[in-house]
Amino acid sequence: MMYNFNEIEAKWQNYWSVNKTFHAENSSSKPKYYVLDMFPYPSGAGLHVGHPLGYIASDIYARYKRHKGFNVLHPQGYDSFGLPAEQYAIQTGQHPAVTTEENIKTYRRQLDQMGFSFDWSKELRTSSPEYYKWTQWIFIQLFNSWYNKSTDKATSISALVQIFSAEGNIHVQAVCDESILVFTANEWNAFPTKQQQEILLKYRLTYLAETEVNWCPELGTVLANDEIINGVSERGGYPVVRKKMTQWSMRISAYAERLLQGLNTIDWTDALKESQRNWIGKSVGASVVFNLRDSDAVIEVFTTRPDTIFGVSFMTLAPEHELVSQITTTEQKSAVKAYVVATAKRSERERMADVKSISGVFTGAYAEHPFTKESVPVWIGDYVLAGYGTGAVMAVPCGDQRDYDFAKHFELEIPNIFQGVDISEQAYTDKVNTIISNSDFLNGLPYEEASKKAIETLEIQSHGIGKTNYRLRDAVFSRQRYWGEPFPVFYINGMPQMIAAKHLPITLPKVEKYLPTEEGDPPLGRAEAWAWDSVQNKVVENNRINYESIFPLELNTMPGWAGSSWYFNRYMDVNNSDEFASSKALNYWKEVDLYIGGSEHATGHLLYARFWQKFLFDLDLVPVDEFAKKLINQGMILGNSAFVGRIEGTNTFVSIDKITDETIQWIHADVSFVNSSDELDIAAFKSWRSEFNNATFIADDNLIFKVKREVEKMSKSKYNVVNPDAICEKYGADSLRLYEMFLGPLEQYKPWNTAGISGVHGFLKKLWKLYIGDIGVLVVDSEPSKDHLKTLHKTIKKVTEDIENFSFNTSVSTFMIAVNELSAQKCNSKIILEPILILIAPYAPHIAEELWERLGHKESIATAEFPKFNASHLIEITKSYPISFNGKMRFTMELSLELSKEAVEEAVMANEKTQAQLAGRAPKKVIVVPGKIVNIVS
RNA sequence: GCUCAAGUGGCGGAAUUGGUAGACGCGCUGGAUUCAAAAUCCAGUGACUUCGGUCGUGUGGGUUCGAUUCCCACCUUGAGUACCA
């Protein structure tokens, strides 16, 4: 009987689905374990072999945990709002919901054929109204909250209003817009409603504000910082410009410190934590105020080096700084204006590309040094960024290289305030071994103490204050797109109002076209009928007021990360229509125990999701403030692209070994035309595209045409995509699963090579043959030999360690070794072969189920108990001897021979170096290690 | 520039509280089986060698009886980040 994988896999996939084998209940006597994958965006291209890598790993772990007696939650869903479906809709007029539905069908079929143990009864989609109802609901909670610094948590806005009407805002410690002025209770109570709303908006955790945003004209929408890579959009690579717009923002900055501290409590990779730390960008220092001469204005700067304050010889403002026009003297006006205009013209990209050339202009104004009272010239320069700190710096050329370069370039003074340091060539930026001098009361102090003393003195003299700065900016939350969550927002007199929760969801309306309106409104501006009928009714009814005017609705939609910032909680109770998840479910599952996904989400999804989780935690809506205990980033499987060389300007292709000195243009060829020896199927290539039909080929005499290979990201446009459907068809899902694990460490980037799959496929055939012969099942109730037991327990030990360490690649090798050994030992004992199957089941579930059934089991192998390891089968006779050597050193020897202590000692003494040959024994080599050792070699 | 990760056969990769380097697989070579092929099985496969051995984990040093593993410097590649005051 042959190993008929296609039949077996279909059979068991159907069995699991019919029997709901992987359904998880929200209560159990077993301990819980939650294994989560980052859910996919269902793109039109379907899955390629690179996509399921992380899913296979998480599936192995989920199945392993079930064998270990855990109640495992392992769900899957779709992050189904997004740009590609919308771009497609713009081109074809097809509703994104339709294409998304089709794509999901393809995804589901492809996922199912891989044999994943997902609990599909918990499937969710971010674009379904039942789901985004709760995304909208969370938005309302954010709107109705502010961040109280004195309790260090989010609190309701109504509590804030109470404080305002009782005592004003003088005692309120909030993370809020810095432009807020102090007011009393009486003043507050006297403010008109609109003014009160304006003020409250500056406290809310999601707020509407005119901010500088990253506008991508090509995509017609704004982008968050993490959606921009090297000054162009992450999707499509279009240019991005800065633009002032009124947008919804999320006050993530309120959580900067907690997001930073929380990293110490979770088991995520160091690389990932590090990039979140960098993104949050905490720097500790001081805010210093410089008075201006001949002006009432002051310049506030942030510095991390208050110890160097006596080294200040000038100040620099960003060209966009609001004081620039105010302080510039008449003589300097034209020069400054020209510089500001020139800077504004340069795109973000140019400015980034050109960091070396130094430019700037003197404003003519002078500030006053807070301690020496000396005059300090105020310059503007584009090396100072408007967006960081206060957009102004106190320049200390001796201690900062950029200030130094600027000073050299414009021949400004460079006073030296470091003891015994030469600054004639460059700035001295080391702060560890620094002693301050020429600095009045800071003289002789090292960095640490000088900083402290400088801050103290600044505070006493009211010239500054110790301050911590974060690079983390508030996140823009509006997108001028159609295919996203509508905001539950309408406006009265220009002020945003929430639609009552009982009216949620506010569903997406139908529109004629998916483009912005002629007036420049977002696509939802085309949905007039919708805006009027369904929502207006809700708004009016909710407010129980007879409004006469029109209440415009918010026409933007939420960004892609809205839905993905809380979905892990929804899986716990996915069909709940009364709450985003019941507290019973939330308290049972608590958090994700293992989260697997790509590292590209480090500063996007993974940061936003932590932010929302902490917010929900503050409101007592979730039981934990970090949503994922452990996170693993799977690496990417890369494609092995093939290039054919064409002589430039001709239609003649040259085999790579025939190229002489022609100018070659490299063209991607579909990898399916190329065999494992890099030889091109010329006929197939010719008929691929009409332009190649009549091409000529320079190859060797046997018409062997070689292509160039290069490892690249797997992508349709590079014609290097390998489809899992074809692999499953030819080798089976179990082979594919095993092979993807076998390719290399989970976290690593590694190229795909279809040829290698024959190895693991051969292993599965061998495995089959170990259990099933020509006439049926070979396994019998026989006593296992010592060797059999040794192989089994060696394998249990290794595989358990591998799974716990997520080294899935090496356990595949371990299986191969085990099966080879058992075959060679002609093992047919049930006592050995049953546990071996359970070990393999998480990796190759279909074949394991089939063999398990043929061994006479009625229940799925998925519920079988993981075999227990017994070390006594591995160690035959091992003894440890403590031995003194030369009367000093100590050795421990472990031997698998029955040797007397004397014999060992004799061996050690006879071989002072490293090896001892034991006379009169079987040739055993003993390696002796001072302090520890042992190694026996036959 | 900074931060992090990594450099091991023809290829993917094993091996680290320091102890037989190259497990396992691919590929390759030879053999068995076959009319032939596929499939399967067996043997070999780091380099050099006078067949005793010698050299070998990016390069150069160091610690150690012993280093792929630890330390220092450098080179290369990849990833992230970028005038962050």
Side-chain angles (χ1 to χ4, degrees):
Chain A
M1 270 177 272
M2 292 289 291
Y3 166 43
N4 188 339
F5 47 86
N6 286 327
E7 202 176 278
I8 291 170
E9 290 176 0
K11 169 182 164 185
W12 287 102
Q13 282 159 19
N14 182 55
Y15 175 95
W16 296 327
S17 159
V18 169
N19 290 283
K20 302 190 167 44
T21 310
F22 306 113
H23 181 72
E25 290 295 335
N26 283 358
S27 67
S28 169
S29 55
K30 298 173 179 176
K32 71 97 189 181
Y33 202 88
Y34 185 0
V35 183
L36 183 65
D37 294 296
M38 289 186 189
F39 60 168
Y41 172 79
S43 83
L47 292 172
H48 62 61
V49 290
H51 292 120
L53 180 73
Y55 305 155
I56 296 171
S58 66
D59 194 58
I60 289 170
Y61 204 77
R63 286 173 178 271
Y64 166 75
K65 279 290 182 184
R66 289 193 194 96
H67 288 304
K68 281 284 194 180
F70 287 82
N71 183 29
V72 174
L73 175 58
H74 187 40
Q76 186 59 291
Y78 305 97
D79 190 10
S80 45
F81 272 135
L83 277 179
E86 179 158 353
Q87 296 289 57
Y88 190 74
I90 291 169
Q91 287 159 21
T92 64
Q94 206 175 103
H95 196 286
V98 176
T99 42
T100 301
E101 184 64 37
E102 281 170 14
N103 295 347
I104 286 177
K105 277 200 184 116
T106 308
Y107 265 63
R108 179 62 192 274
R109 182 186 59 72
Q110 289 189 302
L111 291 170
D112 280 346
Q113 80 179 350
M114 305 277 305
F116 292 130
S117 63
F118 294 127
D119 178 356
W120 283 109
S121 71
K122 298 189 166 60
E123 183 203 291
L124 63 77
R125 302 169 183 194
T126 54
S127 63
S128 81
E130 296 75 40
Y131 180 85
Y132 68 67
K133 169 181 176 177
W134 297 107
T135 309
Q136 292 170 339
W137 181 81
I138 293 171
F139 177 84
I140 295 174
Q141 309 311 307
L142 283 155
F143 183 81
N144 289 330
S145 302
W146 61 290
Y147 199 88
N148 188 341
K149 277 201 262 189
S150 33
T151 55
D152 211 13
K153 64 190 278 194
T155 314
S156 82
I157 279 284
S158 54
L160 186 66
V161 172
Q162 275 183 13
I163 299 173
F164 285 172
S165 48
E167 54 181 50
N169 70 347
I170 184 94
H171 298 302
V172 171
Q173 296 275 316
V175 179
C176 57
D177 193 307
E178 293 192 353
S179 68
I180 292 173
L181 302 172
V182 176
F183 51 79
T184 64
N186 286 339
E187 283 171 326
W188 169 260
N189 294 326
F191 287 148
T193 309
K194 181 168 178 175
Q195 193 177 351
Q196 288 184 343
Q197 289 187 358
E198 278 169 355
I199 290 169
L200 287 176
L201 201 50
K202 294 179 177 180
Y203 285 88
R204 296 179 191 274
L205 284 179
T206 183
Y207 60 96
L208 203 53
E210 186 175 68
T211 43
E212 261 213 350
V213 296
N214 307 299
W215 173 256
C216 180
E218 211 73 29
L219 293 172
T221 189
V222 300
L223 298 171
N225 286 346
D226 67 282
E227 292 169 315
I228 300 158
I229 313 249
N230 292 331
V232 298
S233 68
E234 187 186 13
R235 285 206 182 262
Y238 303 117
V240 174
V241 296
R242 306 287 296 174
K243 187 175 169 183
K244 281 222 161 180
M245 285 177 78
T246 300
Q247 299 284 307
W248 285 100
S249 286
M250 286 281 163
R251 212 179 291 284
I252 188 172
S253 57
Y255 285 85
E257 186 62 30
R258 281 168 65 190
L259 287 168
L260 192 64
Q261 294 308 323
L263 290 173
N264 300 327
T265 68
I266 48 181
D267 182 12
W268 293 15
T269 60
D270 289 339
L272 200 139
K273 288 190 193 179
E274 197 56 32
S275 63
Q276 289 210 348
R277 284 193 192 104
N278 289 339
W279 193 261
I280 295 167
K282 179 181 184 176
S283 39
V284 180
S287 163
V288 185
V289 175
F290 285 73
N291 293 327
L292 280 162
R293 296 223 190 281
D294 314 320
S295 167
D296 293 337
V298 295
I299 299 176
E300 190 188 342
V301 300
F302 174 75
T303 178
T304 55
R305 295 294 302 272
D307 59 314
T308 63
I309 191 156
F310 285 95
V312 173
S313 61
F314 62 100
M315 302 188 73
T316 315
L317 305 183
E320 300 89 344
H321 196 282
E322 51 184 9
L323 284 180
V324 170
S325 56
Q326 191 185 326
I327 63 170
T328 303
T329 58
T330 337
E331 306 85 74
Q332 293 300 105
K333 209 142 228 162
S334 62
V336 166
K337 199 170 176 188
Y339 184 71
V340 170
V341 169
T343 313
K345 259 196 203 157
R346 298 175 75 194
S347 71
E348 197 80 353
R349 240 199 144 173
E350 283 171 320
R351 233 167 119 169
M352 264 160 55
D354 176 30
V355 293
K356 292 217 177 63
S357 61
I358 295 159
S359 66
V361 180
F362 180 45
T363 61
Y366 288 88
E368 182 187 272
H369 191 283
F371 295 140
T372 65
K373 308 295 177 197
E374 278 168 17
S375 286
V376 180
V378 180
W379 286 65
I380 60 173
D382 69 358
Y383 80 95
V384 177
L385 302 176
Y388 184 78
T390 60
V393 300
M394 58 175 225
V396 183
C398 67
D400 183 285
Q401 193 57 44
R402 290 155 308 173
D403 295 343
Y404 186 91
D405 294 341
F406 196 84
K408 275 265 153 151
H409 190 263
F410 292 107
E411 295 176 353
L412 298 165
E413 219 183 312
I414 306 179
N416 189 353
I417 51 146
F418 300 119
Q419 207 171 83
V421 166
D422 175 27
I423 54 156
S424 59
E425 290 301 320
Q426 55 178 6
Y428 181 75
T429 53
D430 183 12
K431 55 187 178 189
V432 181
N433 305 308
T434 308
I435 302 292
I436 304 291
S437 68
N438 296 330
S439 296
D440 194 0
F441 58 90
L442 299 179
N443 281 342
L445 296 177
Y447 159 72
E448 198 91 21
E449 287 168 45
S451 289
K452 213 174 135 197
K453 191 154 183 190
I455 292 171
E456 273 170 21
T457 315
L458 283 167
E459 286 177 355
I460 291 167
Q461 302 184 2
S462 299
H463 272 300
I465 189 166
K467 195 179 174 184
T468 301
N469 220 7
Y470 298 91
R471 198 188 80 118
L472 185 69
R473 307 282 87 182
D474 283 347
V476 179
F477 198 68
S478 302
R479 296 291 183 276
Q480 292 67 44
R481 308 296 302 195
Y482 174 77
W483 192 228
E485 298 88 347
F487 283 81
V489 173
F490 66 101
Y491 292 86
I492 298 177
N493 297 328
M495 294 309 296
Q497 317 289 327
M498 293 298 115
I499 292 169
K502 66 175 170 181
H503 294 307
L504 300 181
I506 304 304
T507 52
L508 270 174
K510 288 206 163 52
V511 293
E512 296 287 307
K513 277 201 263 178
Y514 301 95
L515 287 169
T517 65
E518 282 66 31
E519 297 79 42
D521 280 334
L524 288 193
R526 296 179 179 275
E528 288 183 45
W530 161 75
W532 278 100
D533 298 345
S534 73
V535 186
Q536 280 295 329
N537 290 339
K538 293 177 181 177
V539 170
V540 174
E541 188 253 341
N542 175 50
N543 284 271
R544 274 175 268 119
I545 299 168
N546 185 15
Y547 288 109
E548 291 155 18
S549 51
I550 297 166
F551 314 120
L553 295 161
E554 174 64 55
L555 299 178
N556 287 304
T557 54
M558 298 186 194
W561 55 267
S564 60
S565 293
W566 71 282
Y567 75 113
F568 34 85
N569 289 317
R570 183 65 178 174
Y571 280 131
M572 299 174 187
D573 194 12
V574 76
N575 294 314
N576 194 330
S577 53
D578 302 325
E579 298 169 272
F580 77 98
S582 73
S583 59
K584 178 176 173 266
L586 287 161
N587 280 306
Y588 178 70
W589 293 110
K590 287 194 172 70
E591 77 274 81
V592 176
D593 292 285
L594 174 65
Y595 194 22
I596 295 186
S599 57
E600 67 273 20
H601 298 108
T603 51
H605 158 60
L606 289 172
L607 201 58
Y608 298 128
R610 292 183 59 222
F611 159 43
W612 278 31
Q613 182 75 5
K614 286 182 188 302
F615 167 71
L616 294 172
F617 177 77
D618 284 353
L619 266 53
D620 284 327
L621 294 166
V622 296
V624 290
D625 78 335
E626 288 289 346
F627 77 95
K629 259 191 202 163
K630 181 173 178 66
L631 180 136
I632 291 180
N633 293 127
Q634 90 273 16
M636 206 182 278
I637 292 184
L638 302 167
N640 202 352
S641 300
F643 292 88
V644 291
R646 177 164 68 180
I647 299 173
E648 191 140 44
T650 71
N651 206 8
T652 302
F653 292 85
V654 197
S655 176
I656 190 161
D657 47 5
K658 296 286 168 193
I659 292 171
T660 49
D661 52 0
E662 301 94 344
T663 312
I664 300 293
Q665 180 192 2
W666 294 102
I667 298 168
H668 273 104
D670 195 301
V671 287
S672 63
F673 304 150
V674 182
N675 69 12
S676 54
S677 310
D678 300 347
E679 294 158 13
L680 181 73
D681 180 342
I682 294 177
F685 181 75
K686 272 181 148 176
S687 54
W688 187 30
R689 289 209 201 126
S690 57
E691 53 173 317
F692 302 145
N693 289 168
N694 301 315
T696 46
F697 291 81
I698 302 174
D700 74 1
D701 301 341
N702 300 320
L703 281 177
I704 297 205
F705 185 98
K706 295 258 188 186
V707 300
K708 184 170 94 166
R709 287 285 197 170
E710 216 165 90
V711 172
E712 296 181 290
K713 210 169 158 176
M714 212 175 258
S715 131
K716 224 175 165 182
S717 62
K718 297 187 169 83
Y719 300 102
N720 60 2
V721 170
V722 179
N723 190 323
D725 300 18
I727 302 287
C728 285
E729 171 75 28
K730 196 167 173 200
Y731 300 97
D734 284 339
S735 291
L736 179 58
R737 291 168 61 109
L738 279 174
Y739 187 52
E740 295 224 356
M741 291 299 103
F742 183 70
L743 272 177
L746 182 60
E747 298 91 336
Q748 202 166 296
Y749 280 57
K750 52 218 170 246
W752 176 266
N753 171 20
T754 303
I757 201 171
S758 64
V760 291
H761 188 63
F763 155 74
L764 289 175
K765 286 201 251 181
K766 245 185 237 176
L767 178 75
W768 182 265
K769 276 164 70 178
L770 187 61
Y771 291 79
I772 308 293
D774 293 335
I775 41 143
V777 178
L778 300 171
V779 181
V780 297
D781 284 315
S782 64
E783 268 307 301
S785 72
K786 270 193 171 183
D787 280 347
H788 296 157
L789 284 165
K790 191 175 173 185
T791 300
L792 171 64
H793 286 276
K794 195 171 71 178
T795 309
I796 295 173
K797 182 166 188 276
K798 185 69 168 51
V799 170
T800 311
E801 284 169 4
D802 285 346
I803 296 181
E804 300 283 359
N805 297 325
F806 304 97
S807 310
F808 302 116
N809 54 328
T810 48
S811 35
V812 180
S813 298
T814 309
F815 294 141
M816 291 181 179
I817 295 167
V819 167
N820 280 338
E821 281 181 16
L822 293 170
S823 298
Q825 295 161 7
K826 306 242 183 306
C827 176
N828 61 358
S829 167
K830 207 169 182 170
I831 294 170
I832 303 296
L833 293 175
E834 279 196 349
I836 288 281
L837 266 193
I838 301 172
L839 294 179
I840 293 175
Y843 291 79
H846 309 88
I847 191 173
E849 287 276 21
E850 179 68 21
L851 292 172
W852 189 250
E853 187 189 54
R854 290 186 185 222
L855 292 185
H857 292 277
K858 297 275 181 282
E859 296 287 312
S860 161
I861 196 171
T863 56
E865 193 191 339
F866 203 75
K868 292 211 160 42
F869 171 62
N870 182 343
S872 68
H873 293 296
L874 291 192
I875 303 156
E876 284 150 24
I877 303 152
T878 301
K879 293 189 177 178
S880 295
Y881 299 96
I883 293 173
S884 63
F885 181 55
N886 289 346
K888 280 180 186 171
M889 294 183 193
R890 301 191 78 190
F891 302 85
T892 307
M893 302 208 63
E894 252 179 78
L895 299 172
S896 60
L897 286 175
E898 279 193 272
L899 293 180
S900 68
K901 188 182 170 186
E902 290 71 31
V904 173
E905 257 173 317
E906 190 188 329
V908 172
M909 300 310 284
N911 297 274
E912 288 194 7
K913 288 287 177 180
T914 55
Q915 296 181 358
Q917 203 73 28
L918 300 179
R921 293 270 171 187
K924 291 274 168 180
K925 202 156 63 169
V926 181
I927 298 175
V928 181
V929 180
K932 344 183 145 179
I933 285 243
V934 176
N935 237 3
I936 312 299
V937 186
S938 45

